[in-house]
Amino acid sequence: MASPAFASSLPVSAPTQRERVTGIIMHLLGMPGIPLVGPLVMWLACRRRSSYLDGQGRELLNFHLSFLGYAVVLLLARVVLPEVLALLCVVLLVGMAFVWFFLGITGVLHAWLGKVWRFPLAIRLL
């Protein structure tokens, strides 16, 4: 049996249709523009109403905060490192953007199925 840290879904009560739709919206609001504001506002508004939405919001915010941190480190490395390694940082940033988008879509699909998905590469901050 897998340990809870590596489980693909967190155990929560079965979500209602409304909770699932709210979870999907929470994920979709994290996609365009500033990925933290939409999910943060929705999580703060919904976290006390549903353990499912609380789990969705926490995992989503952990994911976005982690990737924001990774991007900041790569951008700082881009400035500090020599030009050849700085180019590698740019390539990694582009790759990270694709991974961020793919994992975001995967999170939407899990929300649609009524599951709280633990994003890989996310540091558990909340």
Side-chain angles (χ1 to χ4, degrees):
M1 189 162 133
S3 69
F6 299 106
S8 63
S9 297
L10 296 173
V12 293
S13 60
T16 64
Q17 180 68 22
R18 185 178 188 149
E19 289 172 336
R20 287 175 41 199
V21 169
T22 305
I24 292 169
I25 292 170
M26 194 181 298
H27 280 274
L28 291 175
L29 284 176
M31 297 302 258
I34 304 169
L36 286 174
V37 177
L40 177 63
V41 169
M42 286 200 65
W43 177 64
L44 290 173
C46 300
R47 67 182 173 169
R48 287 188 169 79
R49 283 190 277 161
S50 162
S51 63
Y52 171 75
L53 293 175
D54 182 39
Q56 284 285 358
R58 282 180 191 272
E59 288 301 318
L60 188 56
L61 289 171
N62 284 333
F63 167 66
H64 286 303
L65 287 170
S66 297
F67 269 66
L68 179 64
Y70 302 148
V72 167
V73 168
L74 283 173
L75 287 172
L76 290 175
R78 163 68 178 94
V79 172
V80 175
L81 292 174
E83 195 166 316
V84 173
L85 292 175
L87 181 61
L88 177 64
C89 290
V90 172
V91 170
L92 288 173
L93 277 169
V94 171
M96 193 178 80
F98 282 109
V99 169
W100 171 80
F101 182 76
F102 173 75
L103 292 177
I105 295 298
T106 305
V108 169
L109 294 175
H110 277 83
W112 181 57
L113 295 172
K115 298 179 180 179
V116 178
W117 186 51
R118 285 205 155 186
F119 288 91
L121 307 175
I123 301 167
R124 307 289 176 253
L125 301 168
L126 299 174

